[in-house]
Amino acid sequence: MSRILDQRILLLVISFSASVQSTKVLSEWKKCGDPECEKAMSRVQATTDYLGPDCRFLNFKTGEEIIVYSKLSRENENLWIGSKGKDFGYFPRDAVKIEEVLIGEEVEVLTKETDFLCLDEDKYTFE
C-alpha cells in the first residue's frame, strides 16, 4: 500500500512540474507591428519540422507558411509568435526563413498574462 501511495505522489509531483513549466512567463517584453500586436509583421516559411514542448507552441512541418504577429524580446529573443491556419503559438526564429516583411517599424510593448495562455484539453491555465 505504501508503494502505491509513493508512486501516486511521484506522479502528482511530475504532473505539477509539467503544468508549471507550461505556464511560465517566457519574456516580459515583445516586439509587434503596432501597439495592440494585431498587425501581421511578416510571412515566413518553415525550414525544418518543429514540435513544441507544450500547447503554447506552434507545431509545423518544413515548407509550411506562418504569419508572424510578434517576437519576444530582451530575455528570450529566439521565440516568435505566429499562426498557421487556425493554429497559433510560439516557435523558434531559427526554424523559419523570412519570405516577406509586412511592417515598416517594430514597437516594443510589455507582455500580458494572456500571452502565456495554455489551452490544453479545453482548460485554460495562467501563471
Side-chain angles (χ1 to χ4, degrees):
M1 183 69 155
S2 175
R3 184 177 174 156
I4 292 173
L5 183 58
D6 288 345
Q7 289 174 341
R8 287 183 181 174
I9 290 172
L10 179 60
L11 286 173
L12 183 61
V13 168
I14 291 170
S15 175
F16 178 73
S17 174
S19 173
V20 168
Q21 277 188 328
S22 71
T23 59
K24 184 174 87 170
V25 171
L26 301 171
S27 178
E28 302 256 338
W29 293 91
K30 63 184 176 180
K31 293 180 181 175
C32 301
D34 63 286
E36 292 79 32
C37 296
E38 294 175 352
K39 191 182 288 186
M41 297 178 73
S42 59
R43 183 176 54 82
V44 300
Q45 184 178 41
T47 57
T48 185
D49 292 354
Y50 178 72
L51 181 61
D54 63 49
C55 61
R56 295 174 300 168
F57 290 79
L58 182 66
N59 300 321
F60 50 80
K61 301 223 180 271
T62 303
E64 290 187 307
E65 184 178 284
I66 301 163
I67 302 298
V68 178
Y69 287 95
S70 62
K71 305 170 182 178
L72 294 185
S73 61
R74 300 189 189 187
E75 302 98 34
N76 205 348
E77 294 183 353
N78 185 47
L79 289 178
W80 289 2
I81 303 101
S83 68
K84 174 188 68 118
K86 63 180 179 132
D87 298 326
F88 189 85
Y90 295 94
F91 60 92
R93 73 177 180 191
D94 59 358
V96 299
K97 67 178 178 180
I98 297 174
E99 294 286 307
E100 180 181 13
V101 175
L102 303 172
I103 57 153
E105 208 172 302
E106 296 177 352
V107 295
E108 189 171 50
V109 298
L110 283 167
T111 58
K112 301 174 188 172
E113 184 178 62
T114 54
D115 290 335
F116 306 103
L117 172 69
C118 189
L119 176 59
D120 193 18
E121 296 177 11
D122 299 326
K123 294 180 277 185
Y124 293 95
T125 307
F126 290 99
E127 182 173 283

